[in-house]
Amino acid sequence: MNKINYANSLAEMIPWNMTTVIRTHYRMKPHVMDKKVQELIKSPKVNHVFYTLEDDFELDYQQNLQKINHAHLLIQGSGTLSREDMIKHMRINSKALLEIQRIRGKKAITKYITKYIDHKNAHYNFF
């Protein structure tokens, strides 16, 4: 897989306008994150979501037996989507959701979000 081509194609596929990160205190399993995103896209304020799950590589795995991970989200939706909307729909702790940011450079953010999609523990999906 050519990650740069994938990221560039992803950037052009949808008019992404928001991004955020979900960082829980537990390891998020792919099927659980899929369900959370499926609930999010039921919101009339959300049209599309692409997300990646990636390990926290900077943590010492000898001390962190859970191997914590986090999710990067690309969102195409209404400008009125709030943190509270996401917390409610995804049923996540408010401390786990970082601020929703407007996307200024689609290619740059898609390259950053897809940087580890070829890693063995990575998971990604599009809704």
Side-chain angles (χ1 to χ4, degrees):
M1 169 190 306
N2 183 322
K3 291 189 296 188
I4 293 175
N5 287 343
Y6 189 92
N8 288 337
S9 296
L10 182 62
E12 297 303 319
M13 184 186 317
I14 301 290
W16 306 109
N17 58 340
M18 293 174 264
T19 186
T20 191
V21 174
I22 297 173
R23 186 180 296 277
T24 60
H25 65 280
Y26 57 89
R27 183 167 186 81
M28 292 182 280
K29 295 182 181 177
H31 71 280
V32 171
M33 189 62 191
D34 280 353
K35 287 180 183 178
K36 289 184 179 304
V37 174
Q38 286 171 343
E39 291 302 314
L40 178 61
I41 63 168
K42 289 179 182 178
S43 166
K45 296 180 180 182
V46 177
N47 298 322
H48 299 285
V49 175
F50 175 85
Y51 81 90
T52 60
L53 275 178
E54 65 182 49
D55 286 336
D56 286 347
F57 296 107
E58 66 275 6
L59 295 177
D60 177 4
Y61 287 156
Q62 298 303 325
Q63 295 174 355
N64 180 18
L65 299 177
Q66 290 183 331
K67 294 185 180 180
I68 299 298
N69 58 4
H70 60 277
H72 291 276
L73 285 78
L74 284 174
I75 303 166
Q76 193 275 317
S78 162
T80 61
L81 179 67
S82 68
R83 286 184 78 251
E84 292 73 25
D85 293 330
M86 289 187 68
I87 290 163
K88 176 183 150 195
H89 284 282
M90 298 180 83
R91 297 186 184 121
I92 57 175
N93 186 309
S94 64
K95 293 178 183 175
L97 181 65
L98 277 62
E99 291 300 319
I100 300 171
Q101 299 177 342
R102 299 278 172 225
I103 293 175
R104 287 180 249 143
K106 289 192 302 183
K107 287 187 179 182
I109 195 67
T110 56
K111 284 178 187 173
Y112 180 75
I113 287 174
T114 59
K115 67 188 174 289
Y116 293 126
I117 63 171
D118 58 349
H119 189 268
K120 73 174 192 164
N121 290 332
H123 174 76
Y124 55 98
N125 212 339
F126 174 81
F127 295 88

